[in-house]
Amino acid sequence: MKDSNDRLLQVENLKKYFPLRSGVFSRTHGYVRAVDGVSFDIGRRRTLGLVGESGCGKTTLARALVRLWEPTSGEVVFDGVSIRDLNTREMRRIRRNMQIIFQDPFSSLNPRMTVGAIVGEPLAIHRVAKRRERLDIVRGLLEKVGLSGGHVNSYPHEFSGGQRQRICIARAIALRPKLIVCDEPVSALDVSVQSQILNLLRDLQDDYGLSYLFISHDLRVVEHMSDEIAVMYLGRIVEMAGGDAISENPLHPYTRALFSAVPVPDPSSRRKVIVLGGDVPSPISPPPGCHFHPRCPEKMGVCEQKYPPLKDAGGGHEVACFLY
Amino acid sequence: MALLQVNDLRTVFHLPGGTARAVDGVSFTLDEGRTLGLVGESGCGKTVTALSILRLIPSPPGEICGGMVVYAGQDLLRLSESRMRHIRGNEISMIFQEPASSLNPVFTVGNQIGEAIALHQGLRGKELRRRTIDMLERVGIPSPEIRANDYPHQMSGGMQQRVMIAMALSCMPKILIADEPTTALDVTIQAQILDLLRVLRDETGMSILLITHDLGVVAGMADDVAVMYGGVIVETGGAADLYRRPFHPYTVGLLGSIPGIKGKSDRLKAIPGSVPDPLDFPPGCRFHPRCGYAEAVCGTDAPSLRKIEPERYAACHFAEKIREKGKRQENI
């Protein structure tokens, strides 16, 4: 296995439950198990892609990871430091090195702040540079992400979606972080603009030695960006392996269906699409046993009773399925 | 045989900031029993084209200011409103991107499907109920007798889209206009809906105008493709041929910017810049500020859609050049 020094982020059995309350005394009568025991690690300069359908817990995982939402339990070790019990001030120091980019570049920029103030804010909060130097740094950052340094006095509404996402990226790299959590960074963008942003993220990774946790529902995008891919279903990782291994040889029946369902931009393709029946079940009352069994074409008796653990099926290809 | 012919359609929106020429001279033909994919990015005028065909453009601020939409020998743009009502939902139906906001939240889904059947086919009572349940069953909703009494919020997004399809097909239309029918859905649910549309198309022989931004979805469904950019159609052709040999630089760029399904590959061939604003289209060819082939002529003369080969049309001054370049690359 890899030396722990190579690993920038280690996540161990992370859980995030949201209590369901009702009645006069707001009694808790259940939990939404949004993230239900997830473990993985990300190497330095590596990209872990996280795919899954809506409601599978991708975004909750991203937020619990950087403690925007307090995890229910589990361990997150970032750069050798366990961040679970850090106080606010210590956590702030860690956050210099872990930034997050959100899906919607329209709601994640303050409309009343200029671009210069937005991108310079992290520098101000962390007291990285004096006011005057800050402006120069901000100009440099804007140019780095493909905007012009002259944009510092503009407001977000003057920019298109793709340009706004560039502003978000400039803000995220302002403190030279080691890890950026990208939560659906291109989902709100047009195809022709999406590819510009993906290229930019790649270039920044090479230039700054960044690690990414790249979250998306779009398999094509995740495959393009990732060294390793983890597939989530209903709060748990069902398969995790190198990007090539998972796309060429998906093991879990859900992964197989997911990959086969991605429309191929080639009309002559005669690929067989595995059409799954049913919908994604609710994380409030997940089916017993393997969460996927009601939709699974390969269901066996044991699947209804026990949840299959994630285990190595050879060559570091991990899968949570009783077939292996 | 041409079932629907759109000729030089023009739709504008009079806005405080000026006049947006959302659809600016669009022509295409939808043949009987075929599926035409209308592809383009947000703001290119795909949806406005579809709404103009059915005359569903809110006026004001919108106005259909020119062109013809010929269906069954008559120009839909000149029909009386009562004749048009007979066409909508009966001869030509439409399904929308957001099933949740297209369904009425205060009526049961059975009620909403029945409305169209009662209106156009005059069925009542038990007969109506039977037909409604029959439709729900055809679109693959389990236990349709029970689900017919559900309200839209009791159903998932995929189920709601099935209800929309049931409603659209309840009067056996000749043409189905599907505007981004799977964009709001997850991949596995999208596969279900596309599969359903294919089955129903083969059963009924209807024509489909499929509007989407996803070149993958079009590839799996359409016989013919029309690519839109900035309110005009820039390229048309048979799906397989157009994907293999695109002639317009925008189509080339669009196909190049899709990440391949093969691992962490090279850089994507991104198109620089962003989609133009319909309030302020660039002069000449609307794509020229983003185009790698652009020359001086592109900034002044807007190219019209012209025949490059049999069944292949493109609106570009340099379409032949791009075709030759593609040929050379294929040989390598």
Side-chain angles (χ1 to χ4, degrees), chain A residues 285-294 302-307:
Chain A
S285 51
C290 172
H291 293 344
F292 185 61
H293 85 259
V302 61
C303 304
E304 291 172 35
Q305 279 127 37
K306 282 196 296 192
Y307 192 87

Side-chain angles (χ1 to χ4, degrees), chain A residues 198-213:
Chain A
L198 295 178
N199 283 342
L200 173 65
L201 287 171
R202 275 281 195 80
D203 293 344
L204 293 173
Q205 178 164 45
D206 293 343
D207 292 355
Y208 295 148
L210 291 167
S211 302
Y212 290 133
L213 174 64

Side-chain angles (χ1 to χ4, degrees), chain A:
Chain A
M1 256 331 259
K2 278 175 283 180
D3 179 10
S4 66
N5 235 347
D6 292 344
R7 281 180 267 172
L8 179 64
L9 181 80
Q10 288 163 272
V11 178
E12 219 21 79
N13 208 12
L14 189 71
K15 290 183 182 175
K16 176 66 189 171
Y17 292 177
F18 294 97
L20 291 166
R21 298 178 203 277
S22 66
V24 193
F25 302 106
S26 296
R27 221 163 43 84
T28 301
H29 60 84
Y31 291 95
V32 178
R33 295 177 169 82
V35 174
D36 199 11
V38 163
S39 308
F40 59 85
D41 45 50
I42 301 180
R44 290 174 199 278
R45 295 169 174 269
R46 305 283 283 179
T47 301
L48 174 71
L50 188 65
V51 272
E53 297 181 283
S54 48
C56 76
K58 308 187 291 288
T59 295
T60 308
L61 175 61
R63 293 184 176 229
L65 209 62
V66 296
R67 283 181 66 195
L68 283 177
W69 287 340
E70 225 36 71
T72 307
S73 71
E75 187 69 86
V76 177
V77 179
F78 180 77
D79 216 0
V81 182
S82 165
I83 66 167
R84 202 175 121 189
D85 301 315
L86 297 183
N87 62 32
T88 314
R89 184 181 299 171
E90 291 166 326
M91 195 57 215
R92 181 174 290 177
R93 215 164 45 225
I94 292 280
R95 287 220 180 92
R96 274 184 74 155
N97 285 317
M98 43 164 42
Q99 293 287 321
I100 184 162
I101 302 170
F102 299 97
Q103 170 170 2
D104 186 358
F106 291 84
S107 59
S108 52
L109 296 173
N110 188 335
R112 291 163 187 275
M113 281 166 78
T114 64
V115 170
I118 289 170
V119 177
E121 195 177 26
L123 300 169
I125 289 172
H126 291 275
R127 301 205 178 90
V128 172
K130 299 235 166 57
R131 189 178 292 257
R132 186 160 310 156
E133 296 165 16
R134 225 151 57 207
L135 205 59
D136 288 335
I137 298 176
V138 168
R139 287 208 179 93
L141 285 166
L142 289 176
E143 272 156 28
K144 186 83 202 166
V145 298
L147 297 169
S148 132
H151 281 137
V152 282
N153 293 319
S154 309
Y155 286 89
H157 74 263
E158 299 171 46
F159 295 90
S160 68
Q163 288 172 317
R164 281 183 219 216
Q165 201 57 292
R166 288 178 194 269
I167 298 169
C168 293
I169 292 171
R171 176 174 60 182
I173 60 169
L175 295 165
R176 295 292 181 85
K178 294 178 177 158
L179 173 76
I180 299 184
V181 176
C182 309
D183 187 9
E184 303 264 11
V186 295
S187 306
L189 307 177
D190 277 314
V191 197
S192 70
V193 178
Q194 175 176 312
S195 47
Q196 297 168 7
I197 300 295
L198 295 178
N199 283 342
L200 173 65
L201 287 171
R202 275 281 195 80
D203 293 344
L204 293 173
Q205 178 164 45
D206 293 343
D207 292 355
Y208 295 148
L210 291 167
S211 302
Y212 290 133
L213 174 64
F214 193 95
I215 299 174
S216 178
H217 69 283
D218 188 337
L219 262 169
R220 290 192 293 232
V221 170
V222 166
E223 279 200 291
H224 177 73
M225 292 298 289
S226 311
D227 299 299
E228 277 104 35
I229 294 177
V231 181
M232 259 183 108
Y233 189 77
L234 228 58
R236 297 186 184 183
I237 290 178
V238 296
E239 185 163 0
M240 184 157 54
D244 293 336
I246 216 163
S247 60
E248 273 154 33
N249 185 25
L251 296 177
H252 198 282
Y254 176 65
T255 318
R256 278 194 221 150
L258 201 60
F259 274 76
S260 82
V262 177
V264 192
D266 176 10
S268 54
S269 157
R270 288 283 161 269
R271 216 177 31 148
K272 185 96 188 75
V273 176
I274 306 168
V275 178
L276 290 177
D279 286 310
V280 182
S282 155
I284 298 171
S285 51
C290 172
H291 293 344
F292 185 61
H293 85 259
R295 303 176 75 193
C296 184
E298 320 242 7
K299 187 183 77 169
M300 299 177 287
V302 61
C303 304
E304 291 172 35
Q305 279 127 37
K306 282 196 296 192
Y307 192 87
L310 196 63
K311 62 178 184 199
D312 198 331
H317 194 140
E318 291 178 84
V319 59
C321 179
F322 288 118
L323 287 173
Y324 305 96

Side-chain angles (χ1 to χ4, degrees), chain B residues 15 36 198:
Chain B
L15 301 172
L36 172 69
R198 272 190 289 260

Side-chain angles (χ1 to χ4, degrees), chain B residues 70 72 87 121 126 163 193 219 234 236 247 249 256 263-264 292 301 314 322:
Chain B
V70 181
I87 301 266
Q121 320 242 311
K126 268 191 187 144
V163 169
I193 297 294
V234 294
T236 64
F247 294 163
K264 196 170 177 175
D301 295 353
I322 295 162

